[in-house]
């Protein structure tokens, strides 16, 4: 005999208000969707953190990976791992600093520059798709609000 009190399995359960009103839940949803469209629209092999590292190395060639880590919001151990992966793919070169053998200086290779140029073009198109429902002023407002929220949340990690 079937249990009359069991929920129907045909309808997908909806998240409760305790989740939908939580900013962290909405950020997680955004990030999951972003990862899914990034893979299809930009590059299935180049991760977001790898793309960010390529961007910052292009903007600041010859800087050490520790200082670049903070620019892309990565901890130093993750940065080391990302840099090694990019080096294995031939996208960056890591050289040892002459004044300190522990410091690794990062430079883009020609293949790295081409990969970055291609991914950057596709990423900007993706940005347009992601913000398509909004006008230019709203897009600026959304970006500024997200940056402000990220700054605030990062500050919370520093406090106490």
């Amino acid at each position: 005999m079937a249990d009359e009190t069991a929920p129907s399995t045909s309808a997908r359960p909806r998240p409760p208000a305790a989740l939908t009103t939580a900013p962290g839940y909405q950020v997680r949803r955004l990030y999951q969707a972003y990862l899914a469209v990034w893979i299809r629209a930009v590059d299935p092999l180049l991760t977001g953190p790898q793309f960010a590292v390529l961007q910052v190395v292009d903007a600041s060639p010859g800087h050490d990976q520790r200082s670049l880590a903070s620019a892309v919001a990565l901890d130093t151990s993750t940065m080391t791992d990302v840099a090694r992966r990019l080096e294995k793919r031939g996208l960056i070169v890591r050289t040892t600093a002459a004044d300190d053998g522990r410091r690794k200086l990062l430079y883009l290779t020609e293949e790295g520059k081409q990969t970055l140029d291609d991914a950057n073009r596709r990423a900007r198109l993706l940005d347009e798709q992601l913000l398509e429902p909004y006008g230019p002023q709203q897009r600026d407002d959304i970006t500024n609000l997200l940056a402000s929220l990220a700054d605030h949340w990062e500050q919370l990690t520093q406090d106490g």
Side-chain angles (χ1 to χ4, degrees):
M1 177 152 78
D3 182 357
E4 298 289 328
T5 61
S8 168
T9 56
S10 62
R12 198 168 90 182
R14 305 221 12 104
L19 280 178
T20 60
T21 59
Y25 173 76
Q26 298 301 345
V27 167
R28 178 73 176 155
R29 286 182 59 217
L30 283 169
Y31 187 63
Q32 287 298 109
Y34 182 75
L35 289 177
V37 296
W38 173 274
I39 289 168
R40 284 196 324 261
V42 178
D43 192 314
L45 300 178
L46 188 69
T47 67
Q50 290 172 346
F51 177 70
V53 169
L54 291 178
Q55 289 275 26
V56 76
V57 171
D58 185 48
S60 302
H63 281 73
D64 67 280
Q65 66 188 33
R66 179 180 293 267
S67 66
L68 295 176
S70 64
V72 293
L74 294 176
D75 61 70
T76 55
S77 62
T78 302
M79 178 64 172
T80 300
D81 182 53
V82 169
R84 282 186 185 139
R85 290 173 190 265
L86 291 171
E87 184 179 42
K88 282 183 183 179
R89 286 187 57 193
L91 303 180
I92 66 169
V93 174
R94 296 184 320 148
T95 62
T96 302
D99 62 338
D100 183 351
R102 296 170 295 177
R103 289 178 51 231
K104 299 293 184 196
L105 310 179
L106 305 182
Y107 301 90
L108 286 183
T109 63
E110 283 304 314
E111 184 178 351
K113 289 176 186 176
Q114 185 62 52
T115 298
L116 177 59
D117 288 347
D118 293 344
N120 203 24
R121 188 176 63 263
R122 290 188 299 271
R124 298 300 66 85
L125 291 172
L126 175 59
D127 290 347
E128 287 296 317
Q129 284 183 305
L130 293 171
L131 296 175
E132 185 178 16
Y134 306 100
Q137 182 58 52
Q138 286 180 302
R139 291 176 186 198
D140 288 345
D141 292 345
I142 290 167
T143 303
N144 291 333
L145 283 170
L146 288 171
S148 176
L149 187 61
D151 290 344
H152 176 66
W153 287 14
E154 285 175 347
Q155 185 59 49
L156 292 174
T157 69
Q158 306 301 313
D159 297 342

